[in-house]
Amino acid sequence: MSENIIALGGKKQSMLIDEVKKLLTDDGNLNLCLTCGACSSGCPATGLDNMDPRKFLRMAALGLDEEILQSDWPWMCTMCQRCVYVCPMKIDIPQLIFNIRAKRPREERPKGILGSCDMALKNDSCSAMGASPEDFTFVVEDVLEEYQEAQPEFKDMQAPIDKQGAEFILNQNSREPVTEPDEMVPLWKILDVAGVDWTYGSKGWGGENYCMFLADNEAWEHITRTAAKQADDLGCKIFLNTE
Ligand code: SF4
Ligand code: SF4
């Protein structure tokens, strides 16, 4: 046996080792992780809760299931994928984190993420802040009118909702229409100046997808299908995810 092979398992019964192996090529060879630390260097969650992606992966690979499952660190991962991008072995750590999140009973997952996902399921907007299609339409039209009047150079600017056949369909983080509506306008201006044929959908426009962060596959699918159906119903060609 080569001396650089780490013997794993020991007396502990580990289920996470199997999760890690599924993420690796070469028949789940755990030695594919070079422990180079590139993942940790660019991770925004490095240092939180005394953890980083390299340490987390090693703990999972070494069968420290109990410690991993009790840790809150998996909930601090932003799912940004930077670690996958820089990893020389392309190890999908966020997928491991997602799988670990899904092991926690739904009602015990962080309240903020749980509440935002549940709110997004309440109406067709899929807005984590609960804004309805009617609320969204009212705010967009109101803000648009204000800017058309106040800035003559943008008097013809449009912010369409449910425009049939538009080339691009955009989603929108709910925070802007609900708390900072003026923040929507810079993107509208760019699209106007570029002459882009675009629209929002009145359904599925909420771009934040807390159900994905909650690791609730069923709810995540519902949110994604609602947005995709709206794009199909309008005959739009390209879905532009602004999140
Ligand atoms: S970047 Fe990849 S190979 Fe390097 S420590 Fe992280 S997971 Fe292991
Ligand atoms: S996906 Fe998660 S673990 Fe990877 S770099 Fe982003 S925050 Fe860190």
Side-chain angles (χ1 to χ4, degrees):
M1 183 183 289
S2 161
E3 61 182 14
N4 66 349
I5 291 178
I6 303 168
L8 296 169
K11 290 176 189 162
K12 281 191 172 179
Q13 189 75 29
S14 174
M15 59 181 179
L16 291 179
I17 285 177
D18 293 334
E19 301 278 352
V20 176
K21 284 182 175 176
K22 277 187 230 158
L23 304 177
L24 302 173
T25 51
D26 196 18
D27 293 330
N29 179 359
L30 291 164
N31 290 322
L32 278 181
C33 173
L34 309 170
T35 66
C36 64
C39 52
S40 301
S41 66
C43 170
T46 285
L48 300 177
D49 221 19
N50 193 28
M51 189 69 79
D52 61 65
R54 173 176 58 176
K55 184 174 175 183
F56 187 76
L57 182 67
R58 297 318 294 167
M59 286 174 70
L62 290 165
L64 299 172
D65 292 24
E66 218 173 289
E67 292 84 346
I68 288 276
L69 293 171
Q70 280 176 1
S71 168
D72 284 330
W73 189 78
W75 299 97
M76 297 169 191
C77 163
T78 62
M79 300 281 168
C80 65
Q81 306 264 335
R82 280 182 203 159
C83 51
V84 183
Y85 185 72
V86 298
C87 174
M89 309 311 289
K90 295 293 165 226
I91 297 174
D92 195 344
I93 294 175
Q95 181 64 58
L96 172 67
I97 289 171
F98 182 90
N99 294 351
I100 287 165
R101 286 184 185 186
K103 292 186 190 307
R104 191 178 282 196
R106 195 179 191 278
E107 65 279 8
E108 292 175 21
R109 297 177 198 176
K111 285 192 171 47
I113 303 175
L114 179 63
S116 294
C117 173
D118 285 345
M119 186 65 85
L121 298 172
K122 285 200 166 134
N123 65 48
D124 285 339
S125 290
C126 302
S127 158
M129 298 185 82
S132 68
E134 295 74 26
D135 292 342
F136 181 57
T137 302
F138 174 81
V139 171
V140 167
E141 289 177 353
D142 192 48
V143 173
L144 178 67
E145 198 180 315
E146 185 187 322
Y147 275 82
Q148 284 172 330
E149 285 175 12
Q151 300 184 355
E153 66 274 34
F154 287 105
K155 68 178 173 26
D156 296 323
M157 180 170 71
Q158 297 297 311
I161 296 180
D162 291 345
K163 179 181 173 188
Q164 283 288 339
E167 185 166 12
F168 292 89
I169 183 166
L170 272 65
N171 61 8
Q172 171 73 60
N173 189 302
S174 299
R175 188 176 300 109
E176 278 82 42
V178 174
T179 65
E180 300 171 277
D182 290 336
E183 294 294 311
M184 296 188 288
V185 180
L187 179 57
W188 300 351
K189 288 183 173 177
I190 291 169
L191 295 167
D192 181 63
V193 170
V196 175
D197 177 23
W198 71 282
T199 187
Y200 287 126
S202 59
K203 297 177 182 170
W205 58 266
E208 65 286 345
N209 194 335
Y210 279 91
C211 298
M212 177 192 78
F213 294 110
L214 190 67
D216 181 337
N217 273 319
E218 207 175 304
W220 178 10
E221 181 176 351
H222 168 78
I223 300 284
T224 305
R225 284 194 184 279
T226 302
K229 182 173 184 310
Q230 174 74 96
D232 287 344
D233 288 348
L234 293 174
C236 299
K237 295 188 186 70
I238 300 168
F239 189 95
L240 196 57
N241 185 3
T242 59
E243 280 297 291

